[in-house]
Amino acid sequence: MATQVIIPHDKEVHFSDIVNELNENLENNIKVYNKYADEYDDLARDLGFKVANHLVKLCMDNLPESMKKNLDKCRVLDVAAGTGLIVEEFRAARFTGSFDGIEGANDMCEIARKKGIYSDLRSGLVTVDNPLPFDDNTYDVVVVCTALTPGHVPKECLFDCIRVLKPKGLLLFNLSHFEVTDPDGECMKCTKGIVEKMHDDGRCECVDEFDAQMFDLDSQYHKVRKNVIHCFQKN
């Protein structure tokens, strides 16, 4: 059983301030993330942010044997990279491959770039009209962590993630439903539809999934009813 972390009231209010400023407008949300970029890593640590850890574990558990034997040659694309937290989790798991990324909030991108953990980190938006600026069949793994929500990366962009994957490559992404911001579960209903479309697309199949908590803490505000990490493999 995971250790429960009690978050000081001021930290919880701080996180709620960020949530309350976010909406379904991408331009607004970019401004919010730039505003809190300098504090983002500390806040994530204090809140016990866990989903990145779970996503990396699911990836490592499902890597094809050919990739496991040549980890140093594996290439990973981090979509909506933020400050690079998911790459830090990969490094902690002793993943020795290389990482590229793309992030829409310039200030977040700059913090990630200063960490020196990306080979190629680009500042740019990922939308249906702005496909990933990377070549077909380039990456062994593509990850989209905590970004597939309204006003962020559209779920339809998952199909473009498949495009840049190599055959047998893995696509990992999580989708969450917060009781406080999505009481009717519309986000999860939409997610189910996208997952079904990905199956119907025929280019990939779901090989694993994991129900995980977004945070490791004791807080009613942050209670997550459903957070599913999906692992798809390209045919």
Side-chain angles (χ1 to χ4, degrees):
M1 183 176 181
T3 302
Q4 294 295 297
V5 180
I6 306 300
I7 302 303
H9 182 68
D10 61 335
K11 291 292 184 182
E12 188 166 339
V13 170
H14 187 178
F15 182 74
S16 67
D17 288 343
I18 297 177
V19 173
N20 289 336
E21 290 183 41
L22 296 173
N23 56 38
E24 296 187 11
N25 182 276
L26 178 58
E27 183 177 347
N28 170 78
N29 295 343
I30 292 298
K31 293 178 180 179
V32 173
Y33 286 118
N34 282 331
K35 176 180 177 181
Y36 292 101
D38 289 338
E39 302 161 279
Y40 194 83
D41 282 6
D42 288 340
L43 187 60
R45 183 189 64 248
D46 291 342
L47 289 172
F49 180 65
K50 297 295 290 185
V51 72
N53 175 273
H54 294 308
L55 189 150
V56 169
K57 184 178 185 305
L58 194 67
C59 177
M60 299 298 284
D61 288 346
N62 286 279
L63 277 179
E65 285 301 320
S66 59
M67 294 185 193
K68 290 180 180 179
K69 293 177 181 178
N70 298 280
L71 273 183
D72 60 324
K73 296 181 180 179
C74 284
R75 297 186 65 187
V76 179
L77 176 63
D78 184 8
V79 178
T83 58
L85 293 178
I86 191 73
V87 174
E88 292 178 326
E89 290 290 347
F90 269 105
R91 290 304 191 208
R94 300 187 178 182
F95 187 96
T96 55
S98 62
F99 299 87
D100 294 345
I102 184 167
E103 167 58 39
N106 290 334
D107 291 357
M108 300 273 277
C109 190
E110 187 58 28
I111 289 173
R113 188 172 287 120
K114 288 178 179 178
K115 293 178 180 179
I117 52 180
Y118 291 92
S119 300
D120 179 7
L121 179 58
R122 306 184 189 186
S123 179
L125 300 177
V126 180
T127 69
V128 174
D129 296 326
N130 293 288
L132 294 167
F134 304 100
D135 293 335
D136 298 358
N137 306 310
T138 298
Y139 294 98
D140 299 284
V141 178
V142 176
V143 295
V144 191
C145 186
T146 65
L148 296 166
T149 57
H152 293 71
V153 176
K155 296 178 179 67
E156 290 78 10
C157 292
L158 289 170
F159 295 102
D160 200 42
C161 292
I162 298 171
R163 173 184 63 80
V164 302
L165 268 178
K166 296 177 183 177
K168 304 304 179 183
L170 300 181
L171 168 60
L172 294 106
F173 58 94
N174 73 294
L175 299 128
S176 306
H177 161 53
F178 284 83
E179 289 183 344
V180 292
T181 56
D182 186 23
D184 298 322
E186 292 302 322
C187 182
M188 291 305 298
K189 293 175 186 176
C190 179
T191 295
K192 183 178 179 180
I194 286 295
V195 171
E196 291 175 350
K197 288 180 181 179
M198 290 176 69
H199 279 293
D200 294 341
D201 181 71
R203 288 181 294 165
C204 63
E205 61 179 325
C206 185
V207 295
D208 204 354
E209 62 181 41
F210 180 71
D211 291 357
Q213 286 294 107
M214 178 76 75
F215 300 101
D216 177 17
L217 76 168
D218 181 14
S219 169
Q220 181 64 32
Y221 179 83
H222 301 293
K223 185 177 180 181
V224 179
R225 179 182 297 167
K226 190 77 168 178
N227 184 79
V228 184
I229 304 172
H230 297 271
C231 178
F232 274 75
Q233 186 172 40
K234 187 171 181 177
N235 295 327

